[in-house]
Amino acid sequence: MCGIVGYVGHRDSQSILIEGLKKLEYRGYDSAGIAVYTGKGMEVRKAKGRLAVLEGQLKEKPIAGSVGIGHTRWATHGKPTENNAHPHASGKVAVVHNGIIENYAALRKMLKMQGHTFTSETDTEVLAHLIEAAYDGKLEDAVIDALNLVEGTYGIAVISSKDPDKIVCARKGSPLLIGLGENEYYVASDVAAILQHTRQVVYLDDGEMGVLTKNGYEVLDLNARRIKKGVSRIDWSLDEIEKGGYDHFMLKEIFEQPNTIFETMRGRLVAEEGFSKLGGLNLSKEELLSFDQVVITACGTSWHSALIGEMYIEELARIRTEVEYASEFRYRNPIVNDKTLCVVVSQSGETADTLAAMREAKQRGAKTLGLVNVVGSTIAREDHGGIYLHAGPEIGVASTKAFTSQVIALALLTLKLARLRTMSVLKGREVAEAMLALPQQVQQILEGASEIEKIAERFKNASNFLYLGRGYNFPVALEGALKLKEISYIHAEGYPAAEMKHGPIALIDEEMPVVFVAPHDAVFEKVVSNIQEVKARGGKVICITSQEEPVLDGLIDFELRVPQTVDMLYPVLTVIPLQLLAYYIAVKRGLNVDQPRNLAKSVTVE
Ligand code: AGP
């Protein structure tokens, strides 16, 4: 989950590369580097730490040249050091890489026998040596020869002073696209890096490579055969990838949710008829009725929304549903066949485990539906059909608006499946009308953010947190705990409230803050007894409620109120205070909320 950018054209490449890398830093930010062809030779500059370090060095000693590649790293092989940073060069070849070369040790041994010397601990460096060793006049031919020896995943960009004014890029497993300009071309891991220059892009698929010069580009396969590719237009605006006056992308994205929740529903709810219209499913009515099993697979926050989707589909559409960690599912021998609908949930659409799980389900005969936010991402291009979230770019590493939009998309899919089966128009209408009220209700909660900030001030120095919920709100407890862990580095656990008695209750003392997600739904009474158990052991109770609860008097220390809705939709409301609580605690601990340590926005390696 590194970030790659490249430029070939008539303008100075250094600033284009650095500005592009700034937009990719959410993918990895432990070191960075660029390589530029200066007209006389190739210059490589690398630095450990955030991009700003490299940018500072380049301000002092800039590199002039109109062909260059850049990289921001999330270390997999070799610690974050200047030496291990990309680009890796060998002779007159420089390479930037996103992915993992699985057979790098064997290749390294072979190259050492041929007299090559290695300067880094990385897997990537073998690529530079392989290409240099294979070079015989055309860079793309040398890259093809090298890649045919490689096992693993890659998104790469390569330049060489032997074949200047050219970038060769290739993809297998890691996202890569080509940006089209007037006599200038770009390569990038993500459109955000080049959006200020072009909206015309060509997405590379696995096994494809691009050859870019300032006069044009071509796409080849790894047998050097030309491939005709479509050009896509990107609709995202530049503003959408800026902070818009907020201190952090995460806060901006939390406050965008009244709009993004509406955007996920826009034109997809027929409230009067109580059903949903989903044009991208690419499944006939007969096919939608033929499924006797739904498997939902995902990772991280997306896995939490999947748990809510499972309850929706089982309870309203009455179809047996399983939720699977994608990283486990891909190596298990799951019972999946052509009667299985496999729903794949992923904000980025590039998470390696989720992509592999989808491919596994596909080859077992399942129909796959991608619930994805990034248009044109690999999962979206390889699934049978899907539902785009339309939540706009999510740049903060801690996912927020994508979660609420995923829950909405799962509710829309459930309405589709349920109204085709046994759900009445009245029930469908009740759910649809409650969904349409959510944007305004979320706005109401956001207006109370300052109350949440006060609670954050109280608990900013806590060393542990427990989050508890029941039914639809158990996954929200998991999500609240994940948000806090990700950005504040406080150890936190989410649990089904009743499970607490079977162990975690031993953790409770005066120091332990316990967050209860307890709107007044069908299991509220049961949650009250769990709150009593915690209070009896001195725990500090923060409680999310949806109405006056006299029964909670004297039992809770802090109360956060959300508006009332139908039971199944409370997760969209109750998660908001938990997102803000985690955000404010992290800010008060002086941490980098948008780029938390050790994390990256989309995990494109296994
Ligand atoms: C969530 O805040 C994290 N960034 C992470 O758990 C994320 O949800 C997970 O990596 C899945 O990403 P995806 O939705 O892009 O597939």
Side-chain angles (χ1 to χ4, degrees):
M1 43 241 144
C2 307
I4 286 174
V5 65
Y7 172 78
V8 55
H10 44 81
R11 291 185 287 154
D12 193 51
S13 63
Q14 179 180 304
S15 56
I16 293 171
L17 296 175
I18 293 298
E19 289 314 309
L21 289 176
K22 280 183 186 162
K23 295 283 183 300
L24 294 176
E25 239 195 327
Y26 70 88
R27 301 175 64 87
Y29 33 82
D30 59 39
S31 53
I34 66 170
V36 172
Y37 178 67
T38 62
K40 297 195 201 67
M42 191 153 59
E43 274 204 49
V44 176
R45 297 283 179 74
K46 311 197 269 187
K48 179 177 179 310
R50 299 198 187 255
L51 186 62
V53 179
L54 176 70
E55 192 178 13
Q57 290 175 3
L58 288 167
K59 278 220 175 72
E60 275 155 40
K61 274 183 81 228
I63 314 174
S66 57
V67 186
I69 53 177
H71 185 271
T72 180
R73 184 173 187 236
W74 193 91
T76 55
H77 292 70
K79 292 187 287 308
T81 63
E82 184 179 327
N83 236 7
N84 289 336
H86 300 205
H88 286 287
S90 169
K92 299 189 178 355
V93 170
V95 177
V96 290
H97 169 227
N98 173 25
I100 291 180
I101 307 299
E102 282 156 14
N103 62 338
Y104 82 99
L107 293 169
R108 204 175 165 107
K109 201 147 158 250
M110 173 193 84
L111 287 157
K112 276 189 176 163
M113 313 254 276
Q114 295 168 3
H116 288 259
T117 331
F118 286 80
T119 57
S120 79
E121 304 157 296
T122 67
D123 54 330
T124 301
E125 193 183 351
V126 291
L127 287 172
H129 290 272
L130 286 172
I131 296 165
E132 193 223 351
Y135 189 83
D136 179 21
K138 275 177 80 178
L139 186 57
E140 56 267 40
D141 296 346
V143 172
I144 288 174
D145 293 351
L147 293 179
N148 284 326
L149 295 173
V150 159
E151 284 154 30
T153 61
Y154 54 78
I156 63 169
V158 186
I159 62 171
S160 168
S161 50
K162 288 181 181 170
D163 192 355
D165 303 328
K166 179 187 282 182
I167 296 179
V168 174
C169 56
R171 142 200 192 136
K172 182 171 162 257
S174 301
L176 210 58
L177 53 88
I178 296 170
L180 316 183
E182 294 302 316
N183 299 325
E184 52 188 4
Y185 294 87
Y186 310 83
V187 56
S189 305
D190 179 317
V191 69
I194 58 172
L195 198 56
Q196 65 199 93
H197 306 293
T198 179
R199 293 182 173 285
Q200 304 292 323
V201 302
V202 172
Y203 292 102
L204 290 184
D205 286 315
D206 283 355
E208 295 178 351
M209 61 186 285
V211 182
L212 288 52
T213 67
K214 60 174 172 286
N215 308 318
Y217 76 99
E218 61 179 344
V219 177
L220 310 171
D221 64 16
L222 289 190
N223 299 312
R225 284 188 301 254
R226 261 172 165 260
I227 299 174
K228 194 138 181 34
K229 295 285 288 184
V231 176
S232 308
R233 181 182 158 70
I234 303 297
D235 298 329
W236 283 347
S237 71
L238 265 183
D239 283 359
E240 288 183 277
I241 55 175
E242 300 298 341
K243 279 195 197 127
Y246 287 90
D247 293 347
H248 297 97
F249 281 108
M250 183 179 178
L251 189 63
K252 174 192 174 218
E253 288 152 10
I254 291 173
F255 274 79
E256 279 179 344
Q257 290 176 102
N259 178 44
T260 52
I261 288 168
F262 175 75
E263 286 302 325
T264 307
M265 294 190 281
R266 178 202 287 273
R268 291 169 164 173
L269 260 182
V270 185
E272 193 45 37
E273 298 306 313
F275 67 66
S276 60
K277 268 193 316 182
L278 298 167
L281 296 185
N282 190 20
L283 291 166
S284 67
K285 184 174 171 198
E286 292 62 39
E287 285 171 312
L288 285 169
L289 282 169
S290 70
F291 299 119
D292 63 8
Q293 180 197 25
V294 175
V295 168
I296 314 178
T297 189
C299 302
T301 285
S302 300
W303 185 79
H304 293 152
S305 67
L307 290 173
I308 297 167
E310 174 186 26
M311 290 184 251
Y312 285 176
I313 295 172
E314 288 216 335
E315 280 162 27
L316 296 169
R318 309 306 292 152
I319 309 171
R320 189 159 31 84
T321 302
E322 314 279 335
V323 172
E324 299 276 355
Y325 272 121
S327 53
E328 293 296 318
F329 179 80
R330 62 181 295 187
Y331 291 117
R332 246 177 7 81
N333 182 13
I335 300 171
V336 165
N337 53 41
D338 59 3
K339 288 224 163 305
T340 305
L341 175 64
C342 179
V343 178
V344 179
V345 185
S346 174
Q347 186 286 130
S348 62
E350 300 293 354
T351 301
D353 284 323
T354 309
L355 178 58
M358 179 179 82
R359 288 172 175 164
E360 184 62 26
K362 250 174 116 171
Q363 70 94 23
R364 287 169 182 263
K367 282 280 186 289
T368 55
L369 276 185
L371 267 59
V372 170
N373 191 37
V374 177
V375 176
S377 57
T378 311
I379 288 176
R381 284 184 288 116
E382 291 191 14
D383 59 24
H384 284 107
I387 303 174
Y388 275 129
L389 300 185
H390 299 314
E394 188 177 68
I395 295 176
V397 168
S399 184
T400 52
K401 62 178 181 177
F403 175 77
T404 47
S405 283
Q406 285 163 353
V407 173
I408 294 294
L410 287 160
L412 290 169
L413 176 62
T414 301
L415 268 183
K416 182 82 183 175
L417 294 169
R419 290 285 284 122
L420 277 175
R421 288 173 169 76
T422 55
M423 181 190 263
S424 70
V425 62
L426 290 179
K427 178 66 185 171
R429 200 179 285 163
E430 180 205 2
V431 173
E433 278 155 12
M435 287 174 77
L436 291 171
L438 289 170
Q440 181 273 331
Q441 293 179 316
V442 169
Q443 185 57 42
Q444 243 175 289
I445 299 168
L446 294 170
E447 278 146 22
S450 56
E451 285 311 304
I452 301 165
E453 187 165 3
K454 290 190 194 121
I455 298 174
E457 181 60 36
R458 167 73 181 72
F459 291 104
K460 67 182 181 193
N461 299 320
S463 37
N464 293 287
F465 256 80
L466 205 54
Y467 290 75
L468 302 173
R470 277 184 180 246
Y472 294 116
N473 295 289
F474 156 50
V476 177
L478 291 174
E479 179 56 11
L482 177 63
K483 287 287 98 65
L484 190 71
K485 279 183 269 201
E486 283 190 275
I487 60 175
S488 76
Y489 316 150
I490 296 174
H491 174 242
E493 287 191 70
Y495 260 88
E499 263 307 292
M500 217 204 5
K501 298 189 283 302
H502 307 288
I505 197 164
L507 298 169
I508 307 291
D509 60 17
E510 284 69 26
E511 299 311 310
M512 175 63 88
V514 182
V515 179
F516 275 92
V517 188
H520 203 96
D521 63 9
V523 288
F524 172 73
E525 305 308 329
K526 303 296 175 203
V527 180
V528 173
S529 43
N530 302 131
I531 295 174
Q532 286 157 339
E533 289 148 11
V534 166
K535 203 64 208 162
R537 285 138 183 99
K540 292 286 174 292
V541 175
I542 301 161
C543 194
I544 314 263
T545 62
S546 60
Q547 62 181 55
E548 277 307 306
E549 301 288 7
V551 68
L552 293 180
D553 292 355
L555 280 181
I556 60 179
D557 303 278
F558 300 90
E559 181 177 4
L560 293 168
R561 182 70 53 81
V562 299
Q564 292 180 334
T565 184
V566 294
D567 286 8
M568 69 177 274
L569 295 177
Y570 269 120
V572 178
L573 301 179
T574 55
V575 76
I576 308 290
L578 303 187
Q579 294 169 344
L580 285 167
L581 183 66
Y583 171 79
Y584 288 126
I585 288 177
V587 168
K588 290 175 188 302
R589 289 164 76 97
L591 299 170
N592 186 324
V593 170
D594 281 342
Q595 294 169 350
R597 72 184 184 197
N598 303 343
L599 282 179
K601 182 65 184 168
S602 112
V603 184
T604 54
V605 292
E606 210 186 318

